[in-house]
Amino acid sequence: MKLYMTPGSCTTGIHILLEELDLIFEAHLVNLMAGDQHQADYLAINPKASIPTLVRNDGTALTEFQAIAYWLARSYPKAKLLPGDADGDAKAIELMDYAVGTLHGQGFARIFTTEKFAPNPADHDAVKAQGLDIVNKAFAILNELLPAEGYALSAFSIADAALFYVEFWADKIGITLPENCLKHYRLMLSRPVVKRVLREEGYRVD
């Protein structure tokens, strides 16, 4: 398999899941700042010009964090990356979608890619402030959904990989995580695979 990724991005969550499954894959770096996602060879694989992209052993490509994470969980059921019952699986998808769709897609996107939401530089500060407000409110909601101890759904799941990358972003830009989110983040940082992935992606892990 081939994972098209950018270190420190949402693809870190998929990187973690692949390593947790101990799968053999090639990592192909996509330099978003240089516009690699718009190159013809990449568009031939993923015409959305987005990351992550997972090219599977049969040559077909999967895009979108949620789809890739779900496929990995269902394809390797012995790893128990989903709870396995309808309610538990639905909760995992609900948490994952909120992290990816709201925290990332609506909040952090306004902070990191402000110009996409406001072409006029005069509006950038307002857009970033809106993004920060979305992020803080979303983390407050997640804080009530997460348990005081342990993983999001008792055992490690695909939801934790999604939550981790947005918690990681918050930490890196100085956003204070509420108590349960911070405990979850620290728990994830204690996992050997997470430490290894962060080191592989160029981040210092104390």
Side-chain angles (χ1 to χ4, degrees):
M1 288 191 288
K2 300 176 183 179
L3 175 65
Y4 290 83
M5 57 171 288
T6 301
S9 72
C10 58
T11 59
T12 298
I14 300 299
H15 189 179
I16 288 169
L17 293 176
L18 288 167
E19 295 281 3
E20 289 280 356
L21 290 168
D22 200 25
L23 297 177
I24 297 173
F25 67 96
E26 298 175 6
H28 292 258
L29 299 186
V30 179
N31 187 333
L32 299 178
M33 297 299 292
D36 288 356
Q37 70 276 24
H38 299 297
Q39 296 298 316
D41 56 347
Y42 187 68
L43 290 174
I45 301 168
N46 179 358
K48 299 175 185 175
S50 63
I51 52 170
T53 300
L54 182 68
V55 177
R56 296 172 290 184
N57 291 330
D58 65 359
T60 60
L62 266 183
T63 64
E64 308 298 339
F65 187 103
Q66 300 97 312
I68 295 171
Y70 180 77
W71 180 82
L72 288 171
R74 289 297 303 271
S75 297
Y76 302 92
K78 290 183 179 179
K80 297 182 179 179
L81 293 177
L82 279 169
D85 61 283
D87 283 351
D89 290 0
K91 287 179 180 177
I93 293 170
E94 180 183 26
L95 286 169
M96 186 169 54
D97 190 65
Y98 194 60
V100 177
T102 299
L103 269 161
H104 176 175
Q106 298 182 34
F108 281 112
R110 283 176 165 82
I111 296 171
F112 295 149
T113 56
T114 311
E115 67 283 354
K116 291 184 178 180
F117 294 86
N120 186 347
D123 299 323
H124 285 186
D125 286 346
V127 171
K128 287 181 180 179
Q130 184 185 38
L132 181 60
D133 184 56
I134 291 170
V135 165
N136 284 327
K137 286 180 178 177
F139 273 127
I141 290 170
L142 281 176
N143 195 62
E144 297 301 315
L145 296 175
L146 290 175
E149 302 291 340
Y151 296 103
L153 300 171
S154 298
F156 176 78
S157 72
I158 56 176
D160 296 296
L163 292 170
F164 174 74
Y165 88 77
V166 289
E167 292 167 343
F168 178 74
W169 285 353
D171 179 40
K172 290 305 174 187
I173 66 173
I175 294 174
T176 301
L177 291 168
E179 184 178 7
N180 291 341
C181 294
L182 181 59
K183 287 181 179 179
H184 178 268
Y185 178 55
R186 288 173 174 168
L187 177 63
M188 287 292 293
L189 286 173
S190 73
R191 289 184 73 86
V193 164
V194 173
K195 291 180 179 180
R196 185 169 74 244
V197 165
L198 290 178
R199 289 192 188 102
E200 288 174 359
E201 294 194 9
Y203 291 93
R204 179 178 176 180
V205 181
D206 296 324

